[in-house]
């Protein structure tokens, strides 16, 4: 795809960032994508440079120097890790976002993406089907920072005309990076243990139902949203992004179709109370109506891809 866009990704070393960086580089060309992170590494042939998004001058400088036209701001501390240090999580998650917004306004960036989360929902949301407009009363500092971030994005759009777009991700399942400290990350780690023929200790109860999405769908949704004509975007806080919904026992049964002897021990910890506050299903109909969103993957299709890809990775590690 030929483009004049210059795209900046912050926090690109995480689970979503790793996959999104590859997809954007494939779509727009490596010369048009700058993948940055606080802890730089290499994603295939895509170099990731250092960027501390809490440093105002650094954010301003990189946008100006490279004439950035689009930003995907992924830098954040996730839900479970965030509860270990609430003050640091608030500082990183909110300050970095405000830095990106202010610099984007100053340098006339055309589009900015903010990843929100189902963590914005709390006890007031409809547990069986959280709607786009359910009241937000999150119970984690991560969820609070995401709810506030949505409102800051809406404010910059309403006051300054900055084209901010956002998705409320459910739990994201992918094989490109290790789990990053989210409450739904059991649905990633469980595959790592299964392909290594190890039992898994699950920190949620077997019947804890949560919304999930496969990484390929999450990346596709992100790019589809960002490429949708501006006039079609009706939600300027954050779109609910639906994928599929399941409980740990269901993912175990799916994995056992490949590994019949796979065993799981259920030992709920502090993450159970976080999961209990979240809805088991989110209504994504506004996303479908405004920009045609539709998920593709079933649970067994996810299991098949995760097991196939992770088996390759662990086989290569054994050969080293």
């Amino acid at each position: 795809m030929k483009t004049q866009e210059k795209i900046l990704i912050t926090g690109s070393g995480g689970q979503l960032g790793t996959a999104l960086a590859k997809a954007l580089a494939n779509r727009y060309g490596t010369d048009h994508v700058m993948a940055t992170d606080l802890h730089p590494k290499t994603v295939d042939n895509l170099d990731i440079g250092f960027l501390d998004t809490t440093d105002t001058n650094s954010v301003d400088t990189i946008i100006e120097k490279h004439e950035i036209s689009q930003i995907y701001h992924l830098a954040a501390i996730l839900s479970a890790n965030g509860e270990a240090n609430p003050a640091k999580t608030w500082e990183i998650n909110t300050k970095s976002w405000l830095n990106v917004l202010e610099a984007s306004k100053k340098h006339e960036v055309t589009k900015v993406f903010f990843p929100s989360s189902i963590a914005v929902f709390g006890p007031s949301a409809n547990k069986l089907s959280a709607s786009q407009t359910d009241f937000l009363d999150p119970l984690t500092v991560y969820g609070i920072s995401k709810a506030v971030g949505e409102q800051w994005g809406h404010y910059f759009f309403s006051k300054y005309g900055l084209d901010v777009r956002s998705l409320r991700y459910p739990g994201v399942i992918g094989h490109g990076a290790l789990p990053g400290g989210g409450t739904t990350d059991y649905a990633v780690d469980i595959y790592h243990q299964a392909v290594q023929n190890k039992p898994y200790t699950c920190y949620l109860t077997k019947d804890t139902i949560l919304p999930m999405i496969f990484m390929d769908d999450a990346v596709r949704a992100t790019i589809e949203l960002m490429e949708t004509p501006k006039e079609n975007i009706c939600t300027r806080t954050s779109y609910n992004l639906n994928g599929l919904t399941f409980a740990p026992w269901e993912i175990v049964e799916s994995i056992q179709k490949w590994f019949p002897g796979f065993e799981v021990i259920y030992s709920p910890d502090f993450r159970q109370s976080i999961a209990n506050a979240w809805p088991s299903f989110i209504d994504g109909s506004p996303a479908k109506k405004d920009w045609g969103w539709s998920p593709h993957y079933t649970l067994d299709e996810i299991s098949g891809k995760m097991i196939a890809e992770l088996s390759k990775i662990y086989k290569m590690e054994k050969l080293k």
Side-chain angles (χ1 to χ4, degrees), residues 105-132:
K105 173 172 69 77
K106 177 180 178 181
H107 297 291
E108 299 182 343
V109 173
T110 57
K111 283 187 278 190
V112 184
F113 178 77
F114 175 72
S116 190
S117 164
I118 60 170
V120 298
F121 294 113
S124 296
N126 186 328
K127 185 72 174 174
L128 297 180
S129 181
S131 76
Q132 184 66 59

Side-chain angles (χ1 to χ4, degrees), residues 72-226:
Y72 292 75
H73 176 61
L74 307 182
I77 295 178
L78 301 184
S79 59
N81 284 349
E83 292 305 284
N85 196 333
K88 181 180 179 181
T89 300
W90 177 257
E91 171 75 7
I92 290 176
N93 290 9
T94 56
K95 183 177 181 180
S96 63
W97 178 222
L98 280 173
N99 284 343
V100 167
L101 288 170
E102 289 286 2
S104 297
K105 173 172 69 77
K106 177 180 178 181
H107 297 291
E108 299 182 343
V109 173
T110 57
K111 283 187 278 190
V112 184
F113 178 77
F114 175 72
S116 190
S117 164
I118 60 170
V120 298
F121 294 113
S124 296
N126 186 328
K127 185 72 174 174
L128 297 180
S129 181
S131 76
Q132 184 66 59
T133 56
D134 273 10
F135 185 76
L136 307 182
D137 53 352
L139 297 180
T140 63
V141 67
Y142 172 71
I144 294 168
S145 70
K146 289 300 181 182
V148 169
E150 289 185 13
Q151 295 304 318
W152 273 120
H154 184 267
Y155 177 82
F156 271 74
F157 169 74
S158 300
K159 189 172 181 65
Y160 305 114
L162 182 63
D163 189 357
V164 182
R165 307 181 183 197
S166 178
L167 294 172
R168 289 174 183 159
Y169 292 104
V172 180
I173 304 171
H175 53 76
L178 292 173
T183 301
T184 57
D185 277 346
Y186 87 87
V188 178
D189 193 29
I190 195 169
Y191 287 106
H192 284 265
Q193 303 309 310
V195 299
Q196 296 178 82
N197 295 312
K198 296 179 180 179
Y200 179 66
T201 300
C202 183
Y203 51 77
L204 300 179
T205 63
K206 66 184 299 183
D207 56 355
T208 302
I209 301 172
L210 290 171
M212 299 283 183
I213 194 168
F214 188 48
M215 181 63 77
D216 290 11
D217 270 349
V219 168
R220 178 172 58 86
T222 306
I223 295 174
E224 285 181 2
L225 174 68
M226 289 294 276

